[in-house]
Amino acid sequence: MTLHGEKKIDRALSLWTLKEAYIKGRGLGLSLPLKYISFLFGGQAGVSLRLDPPIGDDPSRWQFGLLDYAAIVWR
């Protein structure tokens, strides 16, 4: 699926936020190569982590979600 305009920007920010959450959760920071970390959107899980073998972790140990802050009504 190709994203355009604002949706493309939103997806890029979501991916960065998810990758940052994962590397901080691991406690290894940018010593983890980001090119081996990816996320799939949609399906029952909503957001699924995918890791290439060099990362050395089991993605089933992790759960991720995204909040749409623009949709939250502040009172």
Side-chain angles (χ1 to χ4, degrees), residues 16 19-20 22-24 26-37 54-56:
W16 176 254
K19 285 186 177 193
E20 184 175 2
Y22 175 73
I23 65 174
K24 284 183 176 181
R26 289 281 307 269
L28 299 172
L30 290 173
S31 67
L32 289 173
L34 296 177
K35 68 181 179 180
Y36 298 126
I37 304 166
I55 296 296

mmCIF file with all atom_site columns, all heavy atoms in Angstrom, residues 16 19-20 22-24 26-37 54-56:
data_model
loop_
_atom_site.group_PDB
_atom_site.id
_atom_site.type_symbol
_atom_site.label_atom_id
_atom_site.label_alt_id
_atom_site.label_comp_id
_atom_site.label_asym_id
_atom_site.label_entity_id
_atom_site.label_seq_id
_atom_site.pdbx_PDB_ins_code
_atom_site.Cartn_x
_atom_site.Cartn_y
_atom_site.Cartn_z
_atom_site.occupancy
_atom_site.B_iso_or_equiv
_atom_site.pdbx_formal_charge
_atom_site.auth_seq_id
_atom_site.auth_comp_id
_atom_site.auth_asym_id
_atom_site.auth_atom_id
_atom_site.pdbx_PDB_model_num
ATOM 1   N N   . TRP A 1 16 ? 9.311  5.680   13.392 1.00 0.00 ? 16 TRP A N   1
ATOM 2   C CA  . TRP A 1 16 ? 10.423 6.152   14.217 1.00 0.00 ? 16 TRP A CA  1
ATOM 3   C C   . TRP A 1 16 ? 10.102 5.975   15.701 1.00 0.00 ? 16 TRP A C   1
ATOM 4   O O   . TRP A 1 16 ? 10.928 5.507   16.476 1.00 0.00 ? 16 TRP A O   1
ATOM 5   C CB  . TRP A 1 16 ? 10.769 7.609   13.931 1.00 0.00 ? 16 TRP A CB  1
ATOM 6   C CG  . TRP A 1 16 ? 11.836 8.069   14.877 1.00 0.00 ? 16 TRP A CG  1
ATOM 7   C CD1 . TRP A 1 16 ? 11.702 8.899   15.938 1.00 0.00 ? 16 TRP A CD1 1
ATOM 8   C CD2 . TRP A 1 16 ? 13.193 7.631   14.885 1.00 0.00 ? 16 TRP A CD2 1
ATOM 9   N NE1 . TRP A 1 16 ? 12.884 9.033   16.604 1.00 0.00 ? 16 TRP A NE1 1
ATOM 10  C CE2 . TRP A 1 16 ? 13.830 8.255   15.979 1.00 0.00 ? 16 TRP A CE2 1
ATOM 11  C CE3 . TRP A 1 16 ? 13.934 6.764   14.082 1.00 0.00 ? 16 TRP A CE3 1
ATOM 12  C CZ2 . TRP A 1 16 ? 15.175 8.041   16.280 1.00 0.00 ? 16 TRP A CZ2 1
ATOM 13  C CZ3 . TRP A 1 16 ? 15.273 6.558   14.390 1.00 0.00 ? 16 TRP A CZ3 1
ATOM 14  C CH2 . TRP A 1 16 ? 15.878 7.199   15.470 1.00 0.00 ? 16 TRP A CH2 1
ATOM 15  N N   . LYS A 1 19 ? 10.327 2.229   16.651 1.00 0.00 ? 19 LYS A N   1
ATOM 16  C CA  . LYS A 1 19 ? 11.717 1.760   16.701 1.00 0.00 ? 19 LYS A CA  1
ATOM 17  C C   . LYS A 1 19 ? 12.425 2.321   17.930 1.00 0.00 ? 19 LYS A C   1
ATOM 18  O O   . LYS A 1 19 ? 13.179 1.620   18.605 1.00 0.00 ? 19 LYS A O   1
ATOM 19  C CB  . LYS A 1 19 ? 12.471 2.150   15.432 1.00 0.00 ? 19 LYS A CB  1
ATOM 20  C CG  . LYS A 1 19 ? 12.098 1.298   14.240 1.00 0.00 ? 19 LYS A CG  1
ATOM 21  C CD  . LYS A 1 19 ? 12.962 1.615   13.038 1.00 0.00 ? 19 LYS A CD  1
ATOM 22  C CE  . LYS A 1 19 ? 12.618 0.702   11.880 1.00 0.00 ? 19 LYS A CE  1
ATOM 23  N NZ  . LYS A 1 19 ? 13.619 0.758   10.803 1.00 0.00 ? 19 LYS A NZ  1
ATOM 24  N N   . GLU A 1 20 ? 12.169 3.590   18.232 1.00 0.00 ? 20 GLU A N   1
ATOM 25  C CA  . GLU A 1 20 ? 12.784 4.200   19.413 1.00 0.00 ? 20 GLU A CA  1
ATOM 26  C C   . GLU A 1 20 ? 12.315 3.501   20.687 1.00 0.00 ? 20 GLU A C   1
ATOM 27  O O   . GLU A 1 20 ? 13.106 3.240   21.590 1.00 0.00 ? 20 GLU A O   1
ATOM 28  C CB  . GLU A 1 20 ? 12.453 5.690   19.464 1.00 0.00 ? 20 GLU A CB  1
ATOM 29  C CG  . GLU A 1 20 ? 13.137 6.406   20.594 1.00 0.00 ? 20 GLU A CG  1
ATOM 30  C CD  . GLU A 1 20 ? 12.899 7.898   20.585 1.00 0.00 ? 20 GLU A CD  1
ATOM 31  O OE1 . GLU A 1 20 ? 12.161 8.402   19.725 1.00 0.00 ? 20 GLU A OE1 1
ATOM 32  O OE2 . GLU A 1 20 ? 13.452 8.561   21.477 1.00 0.00 ? 20 GLU A OE2 1
ATOM 33  N N   . TYR A 1 22 ? 11.366 0.410   20.980 1.00 0.00 ? 22 TYR A N   1
ATOM 34  C CA  . TYR A 1 22 ? 12.002 -0.912  21.047 1.00 0.00 ? 22 TYR A CA  1
ATOM 35  C C   . TYR A 1 22 ? 13.451 -0.816  21.509 1.00 0.00 ? 22 TYR A C   1
ATOM 36  O O   . TYR A 1 22 ? 13.862 -1.535  22.422 1.00 0.00 ? 22 TYR A O   1
ATOM 37  C CB  . TYR A 1 22 ? 11.914 -1.626  19.693 1.00 0.00 ? 22 TYR A CB  1
ATOM 38  C CG  . TYR A 1 22 ? 12.664 -2.934  19.710 1.00 0.00 ? 22 TYR A CG  1
ATOM 39  C CD1 . TYR A 1 22 ? 12.157 -4.038  20.395 1.00 0.00 ? 22 TYR A CD1 1
ATOM 40  C CD2 . TYR A 1 22 ? 13.895 -3.053  19.089 1.00 0.00 ? 22 TYR A CD2 1
ATOM 41  C CE1 . TYR A 1 22 ? 12.858 -5.225  20.444 1.00 0.00 ? 22 TYR A CE1 1
ATOM 42  C CE2 . TYR A 1 22 ? 14.599 -4.241  19.131 1.00 0.00 ? 22 TYR A CE2 1
ATOM 43  C CZ  . TYR A 1 22 ? 14.082 -5.327  19.810 1.00 0.00 ? 22 TYR A CZ  1
ATOM 44  O OH  . TYR A 1 22 ? 14.776 -6.511  19.867 1.00 0.00 ? 22 TYR A OH  1
ATOM 45  N N   . ILE A 1 23 ? 14.244 0.076   20.908 1.00 0.00 ? 23 ILE A N   1
ATOM 46  C CA  . ILE A 1 23 ? 15.652 0.139   21.289 1.00 0.00 ? 23 ILE A CA  1
ATOM 47  C C   . ILE A 1 23 ? 15.828 0.640   22.723 1.00 0.00 ? 23 ILE A C   1
ATOM 48  O O   . ILE A 1 23 ? 16.733 0.196   23.433 1.00 0.00 ? 23 ILE A O   1
ATOM 49  C CB  . ILE A 1 23 ? 16.500 0.957   20.295 1.00 0.00 ? 23 ILE A CB  1
ATOM 50  C CG1 . ILE A 1 23 ? 16.106 2.420   20.260 1.00 0.00 ? 23 ILE A CG1 1
ATOM 51  C CG2 . ILE A 1 23 ? 16.444 0.341   18.905 1.00 0.00 ? 23 ILE A CG2 1
ATOM 52  C CD1 . ILE A 1 23 ? 17.010 3.301   19.399 1.00 0.00 ? 23 ILE A CD1 1
ATOM 53  N N   . LYS A 1 24 ? 14.934 1.505   23.172 1.00 0.00 ? 24 LYS A N   1
ATOM 54  C CA  . LYS A 1 24 ? 14.992 1.943   24.570 1.00 0.00 ? 24 LYS A CA  1
ATOM 55  C C   . LYS A 1 24 ? 14.564 0.807   25.500 1.00 0.00 ? 24 LYS A C   1
ATOM 56  O O   . LYS A 1 24 ? 15.137 0.623   26.572 1.00 0.00 ? 24 LYS A O   1
ATOM 57  C CB  . LYS A 1 24 ? 14.118 3.171   24.788 1.00 0.00 ? 24 LYS A CB  1
ATOM 58  C CG  . LYS A 1 24 ? 14.740 4.433   24.261 1.00 0.00 ? 24 LYS A CG  1
ATOM 59  C CD  . LYS A 1 24 ? 13.887 5.652   24.554 1.00 0.00 ? 24 LYS A CD  1
ATOM 60  C CE  . LYS A 1 24 ? 14.596 6.908   24.080 1.00 0.00 ? 24 LYS A CE  1
ATOM 61  N NZ  . LYS A 1 24 ? 13.814 8.109   24.379 1.00 0.00 ? 24 LYS A NZ  1
ATOM 62  N N   . ARG A 1 26 ? 14.999 -2.308  25.012 1.00 0.00 ? 26 ARG A N   1
ATOM 63  C CA  . ARG A 1 26 ? 16.126 -3.251  25.073 1.00 0.00 ? 26 ARG A CA  1
ATOM 64  C C   . ARG A 1 26 ? 17.278 -2.697  25.902 1.00 0.00 ? 26 ARG A C   1
ATOM 65  O O   . ARG A 1 26 ? 18.150 -3.443  26.337 1.00 0.00 ? 26 ARG A O   1
ATOM 66  C CB  . ARG A 1 26 ? 16.643 -3.580  23.676 1.00 0.00 ? 26 ARG A CB  1
ATOM 67  C CG  . ARG A 1 26 ? 15.763 -4.438  22.810 1.00 0.00 ? 26 ARG A CG  1
ATOM 68  C CD  . ARG A 1 26 ? 15.833 -5.918  23.122 1.00 0.00 ? 26 ARG A CD  1
ATOM 69  N NE  . ARG A 1 26 ? 17.149 -6.499  23.149 1.00 0.00 ? 26 ARG A NE  1
ATOM 70  C CZ  . ARG A 1 26 ? 17.775 -7.065  22.117 1.00 0.00 ? 26 ARG A CZ  1
ATOM 71  N NH1 . ARG A 1 26 ? 17.176 -7.117  20.946 1.00 0.00 ? 26 ARG A NH1 1
ATOM 72  N NH2 . ARG A 1 26 ? 18.979 -7.588  22.263 1.00 0.00 ? 26 ARG A NH2 1
ATOM 73  N N   . GLY A 1 27 ? 17.313 -1.377  26.062 1.00 0.00 ? 27 GLY A N   1
ATOM 74  C CA  . GLY A 1 27 ? 18.386 -0.755  26.832 1.00 0.00 ? 27 GLY A CA  1
ATOM 75  C C   . GLY A 1 27 ? 19.712 -0.688  26.089 1.00 0.00 ? 27 GLY A C   1
ATOM 76  O O   . GLY A 1 27 ? 20.752 -0.499  26.698 1.00 0.00 ? 27 GLY A O   1
ATOM 77  N N   . LEU A 1 28 ? 19.660 -0.829  24.763 1.00 0.00 ? 28 LEU A N   1
ATOM 78  C CA  . LEU A 1 28 ? 20.884 -0.848  23.975 1.00 0.00 ? 28 LEU A CA  1
ATOM 79  C C   . LEU A 1 28 ? 21.035 0.367   23.069 1.00 0.00 ? 28 LEU A C   1
ATOM 80  O O   . LEU A 1 28 ? 22.056 0.528   22.412 1.00 0.00 ? 28 LEU A O   1
ATOM 81  C CB  . LEU A 1 28 ? 20.935 -2.124  23.123 1.00 0.00 ? 28 LEU A CB  1
ATOM 82  C CG  . LEU A 1 28 ? 20.927 -3.425  23.918 1.00 0.00 ? 28 LEU A CG  1
ATOM 83  C CD1 . LEU A 1 28 ? 20.792 -4.615  22.992 1.00 0.00 ? 28 LEU A CD1 1
ATOM 84  C CD2 . LEU A 1 28 ? 22.181 -3.535  24.766 1.00 0.00 ? 28 LEU A CD2 1
ATOM 85  N N   . GLY A 1 29 ? 20.010 1.191   23.024 1.00 0.00 ? 29 GLY A N   1
ATOM 86  C CA  . GLY A 1 29 ? 20.083 2.410   22.216 1.00 0.00 ? 29 GLY A CA  1
ATOM 87  C C   . GLY A 1 29 ? 20.426 2.141   20.765 1.00 0.00 ? 29 GLY A C   1
ATOM 88  O O   . GLY A 1 29 ? 20.096 1.093   20.213 1.00 0.00 ? 29 GLY A O   1
ATOM 89  N N   . LEU A 1 30 ? 21.142 3.082   20.181 1.00 0.00 ? 30 LEU A N   1
ATOM 90  C CA  . LEU A 1 30 ? 21.452 2.996   18.762 1.00 0.00 ? 30 LEU A CA  1
ATOM 91  C C   . LEU A 1 30 ? 22.563 2.004   18.434 1.00 0.00 ? 30 LEU A C   1
ATOM 92  O O   . LEU A 1 30 ? 22.999 1.915   17.287 1.00 0.00 ? 30 LEU A O   1
ATOM 93  C CB  . LEU A 1 30 ? 21.793 4.386   18.214 1.00 0.00 ? 30 LEU A CB  1
ATOM 94  C CG  . LEU A 1 30 ? 20.583 5.325   18.154 1.00 0.00 ? 30 LEU A CG  1
ATOM 95  C CD1 . LEU A 1 30 ? 21.023 6.724   17.762 1.00 0.00 ? 30 LEU A CD1 1
ATOM 96  C CD2 . LEU A 1 30 ? 19.541 4.803   17.183 1.00 0.00 ? 30 LEU A CD2 1
ATOM 97  N N   . SER A 1 31 ? 23.002 1.212   19.414 1.00 0.00 ? 31 SER A N   1
ATOM 98  C CA  . SER A 1 31 ? 23.927 0.128   19.082 1.00 0.00 ? 31 SER A CA  1
ATOM 99  C C   . SER A 1 31 ? 23.196 -0.976  18.316 1.00 0.00 ? 31 SER A C   1
ATOM 100 O O   . SER A 1 31 ? 23.826 -1.800  17.667 1.00 0.00 ? 31 SER A O   1
ATOM 101 C CB  . SER A 1 31 ? 24.578 -0.447  20.347 1.00 0.00 ? 31 SER A CB  1
ATOM 102 O OG  . SER A 1 31 ? 23.611 -1.113  21.149 1.00 0.00 ? 31 SER A OG  1
ATOM 103 N N   . LEU A 1 32 ? 21.854 -0.972  18.384 1.00 0.00 ? 32 LEU A N   1
ATOM 104 C CA  . LEU A 1 32 ? 21.056 -1.901  17.570 1.00 0.00 ? 32 LEU A CA  1
ATOM 105 C C   . LEU A 1 32 ? 20.880 -1.300  16.178 1.00 0.00 ? 32 LEU A C   1
ATOM 106 O O   . LEU A 1 32 ? 20.449 -0.157  16.049 1.00 0.00 ? 32 LEU A O   1
ATOM 107 C CB  . LEU A 1 32 ? 19.671 -2.120  18.191 1.00 0.00 ? 32 LEU A CB  1
ATOM 108 C CG  . LEU A 1 32 ? 19.624 -2.937  19.469 1.00 0.00 ? 32 LEU A CG  1
ATOM 109 C CD1 . LEU A 1 32 ? 18.213 -2.928  20.051 1.00 0.00 ? 32 LEU A CD1 1
ATOM 110 C CD2 . LEU A 1 32 ? 20.062 -4.363  19.205 1.00 0.00 ? 32 LEU A CD2 1
ATOM 111 N N   . PRO A 1 33 ? 21.203 -2.037  15.138 1.00 0.00 ? 33 PRO A N   1
ATOM 112 C CA  . PRO A 1 33 ? 21.044 -1.498  13.782 1.00 0.00 ? 33 PRO A CA  1
ATOM 113 C C   . PRO A 1 33 ? 19.568 -1.401  13.386 1.00 0.00 ? 33 PRO A C   1
ATOM 114 O O   . PRO A 1 33 ? 18.870 -2.409  13.292 1.00 0.00 ? 33 PRO A O   1
ATOM 115 C CB  . PRO A 1 33 ? 21.810 -2.481  12.900 1.00 0.00 ? 33 PRO A CB  1
ATOM 116 C CG  . PRO A 1 33 ? 21.965 -3.710  13.718 1.00 0.00 ? 33 PRO A CG  1
ATOM 117 C CD  . PRO A 1 33 ? 21.816 -3.342  15.156 1.00 0.00 ? 33 PRO A CD  1
ATOM 118 N N   . LEU A 1 34 ? 19.093 -0.186  13.179 1.00 0.00 ? 34 LEU A N   1
ATOM 119 C CA  . LEU A 1 34 ? 17.673 0.059   12.893 1.00 0.00 ? 34 LEU A CA  1
ATOM 120 C C   . LEU A 1 34 ? 17.193 -0.619  11.618 1.00 0.00 ? 34 LEU A C   1
ATOM 121 O O   . LEU A 1 34 ? 16.014 -0.927  11.485 1.00 0.00 ? 34 LEU A O   1
ATOM 122 C CB  . LEU A 1 34 ? 17.409 1.560   12.813 1.00 0.00 ? 34 LEU A CB  1
ATOM 123 C CG  . LEU A 1 34 ? 17.635 2.341   14.115 1.00 0.00 ? 34 LEU A CG  1
ATOM 124 C CD1 . LEU A 1 34 ? 17.402 3.824   13.881 1.00 0.00 ? 34 LEU A CD1 1
ATOM 125 C CD2 . LEU A 1 34 ? 16.758 1.821   15.222 1.00 0.00 ? 34 LEU A CD2 1
ATOM 126 N N   . LYS A 1 35 ? 18.089 -0.878  10.674 1.00 0.00 ? 35 LYS A N   1
ATOM 127 C CA  . LYS A 1 35 ? 17.668 -1.486  9.410  1.00 0.00 ? 35 LYS A CA  1
ATOM 128 C C   . LYS A 1 35 ? 17.164 -2.914  9.588  1.00 0.00 ? 35 LYS A C   1
ATOM 129 O O   . LYS A 1 35 ? 16.511 -3.445  8.708  1.00 0.00 ? 35 LYS A O   1
ATOM 130 C CB  . LYS A 1 35 ? 18.798 -1.439  8.380  1.00 0.00 ? 35 LYS A CB  1
ATOM 131 C CG  . LYS A 1 35 ? 19.990 -2.307  8.706  1.00 0.00 ? 35 LYS A CG  1
ATOM 132 C CD  . LYS A 1 35 ? 21.049 -2.156  7.633  1.00 0.00 ? 35 LYS A CD  1
ATOM 133 C CE  . LYS A 1 35 ? 22.272 -3.013  7.962  1.00 0.00 ? 35 LYS A CE  1
ATOM 134 N NZ  . LYS A 1 35 ? 23.292 -2.857  6.912  1.00 0.00 ? 35 LYS A NZ  1
ATOM 135 N N   . TYR A 1 36 ? 17.445 -3.544  10.729 1.00 0.00 ? 36 TYR A N   1
ATOM 136 C CA  . TYR A 1 36 ? 16.986 -4.905  10.988 1.00 0.00 ? 36 TYR A CA  1
ATOM 137 C C   . TYR A 1 36 ? 15.716 -4.956  11.832 1.00 0.00 ? 36 TYR A C   1
ATOM 138 O O   . TYR A 1 36 ? 15.271 -6.021  12.229 1.00 0.00 ? 36 TYR A O   1
ATOM 139 C CB  . TYR A 1 36 ? 18.077 -5.714  11.682 1.00 0.00 ? 36 TYR A CB  1
ATOM 140 C CG  . TYR A 1 36 ? 19.328 -5.862  10.854 1.00 0.00 ? 36 TYR A CG  1
ATOM 141 C CD1 . TYR A 1 36 ? 20.563 -5.497  11.360 1.00 0.00 ? 36 TYR A CD1 1
ATOM 142 C CD2 . TYR A 1 36 ? 19.270 -6.367  9.560  1.00 0.00 ? 36 TYR A CD2 1
ATOM 143 C CE1 . TYR A 1 36 ? 21.716 -5.628  10.614 1.00 0.00 ? 36 TYR A CE1 1
ATOM 144 C CE2 . TYR A 1 36 ? 20.421 -6.505  8.798  1.00 0.00 ? 36 TYR A CE2 1
ATOM 145 C CZ  . TYR A 1 36 ? 21.634 -6.136  9.327  1.00 0.00 ? 36 TYR A CZ  1
ATOM 146 O OH  . TYR A 1 36 ? 22.769 -6.274  8.573  1.00 0.00 ? 36 TYR A OH  1
ATOM 147 N N   . ILE A 1 37 ? 15.150 -3.797  12.124 1.00 0.00 ? 37 ILE A N   1
ATOM 148 C CA  . ILE A 1 37 ? 13.935 -3.694  12.942 1.00 0.00 ? 37 ILE A CA  1
ATOM 149 C C   . ILE A 1 37 ? 12.830 -3.127  12.066 1.00 0.00 ? 37 ILE A C   1
ATOM 150 O O   . ILE A 1 37 ? 12.993 -2.073  11.456 1.00 0.00 ? 37 ILE A O   1
ATOM 151 C CB  . ILE A 1 37 ? 14.165 -2.761  14.152 1.00 0.00 ? 37 ILE A CB  1
ATOM 152 C CG1 . ILE A 1 37 ? 15.346 -3.237  14.993 1.00 0.00 ? 37 ILE A CG1 1
ATOM 153 C CG2 . ILE A 1 37 ? 12.892 -2.659  14.995 1.00 0.00 ? 37 ILE A CG2 1
ATOM 154 C CD1 . ILE A 1 37 ? 15.839 -2.210  15.989 1.00 0.00 ? 37 ILE A CD1 1
ATOM 155 N N   . PRO A 1 54 ? 20.149 -10.694 12.915 1.00 0.00 ? 54 PRO A N   1
ATOM 156 C CA  . PRO A 1 54 ? 21.236 -10.018 13.645 1.00 0.00 ? 54 PRO A CA  1
ATOM 157 C C   . PRO A 1 54 ? 20.803 -9.338  14.950 1.00 0.00 ? 54 PRO A C   1
ATOM 158 O O   . PRO A 1 54 ? 21.637 -9.066  15.809 1.00 0.00 ? 54 PRO A O   1
ATOM 159 C CB  . PRO A 1 54 ? 21.754 -8.978  12.642 1.00 0.00 ? 54 PRO A CB  1
ATOM 160 C CG  . PRO A 1 54 ? 21.386 -9.512  11.304 1.00 0.00 ? 54 PRO A CG  1
ATOM 161 C CD  . PRO A 1 54 ? 20.073 -10.225 11.526 1.00 0.00 ? 54 PRO A CD  1
ATOM 162 N N   . ILE A 1 55 ? 19.520 -9.076  15.117 1.00 0.00 ? 55 ILE A N   1
ATOM 163 C CA  . ILE A 1 55 ? 19.041 -8.409  16.336 1.00 0.00 ? 55 ILE A CA  1
ATOM 164 C C   . ILE A 1 55 ? 19.098 -9.354  17.535 1.00 0.00 ? 55 ILE A C   1
ATOM 165 O O   . ILE A 1 55 ? 19.321 -8.942  18.663 1.00 0.00 ? 55 ILE A O   1
ATOM 166 C CB  . ILE A 1 55 ? 17.608 -7.850  16.132 1.00 0.00 ? 55 ILE A CB  1
ATOM 167 C CG1 . ILE A 1 55 ? 17.621 -6.757  15.059 1.00 0.00 ? 55 ILE A CG1 1
ATOM 168 C CG2 . ILE A 1 55 ? 17.018 -7.315  17.440 1.00 0.00 ? 55 ILE A CG2 1
ATOM 169 C CD1 . ILE A 1 55 ? 18.430 -5.537  15.408 1.00 0.00 ? 55 ILE A CD1 1
ATOM 170 N N   . GLY A 1 56 ? 18.892 -10.637 17.318 1.00 0.00 ? 56 GLY A N   1
ATOM 171 C CA  . GLY A 1 56 ? 19.025 -11.614 18.400 1.00 0.00 ? 56 GLY A CA  1
ATOM 172 C C   . GLY A 1 56 ? 17.962 -11.515 19.478 1.00 0.00 ? 56 GLY A C   1
ATOM 173 O O   . GLY A 1 56 ? 18.265 -11.614 20.663 1.00 0.00 ? 56 GLY A O   1
#
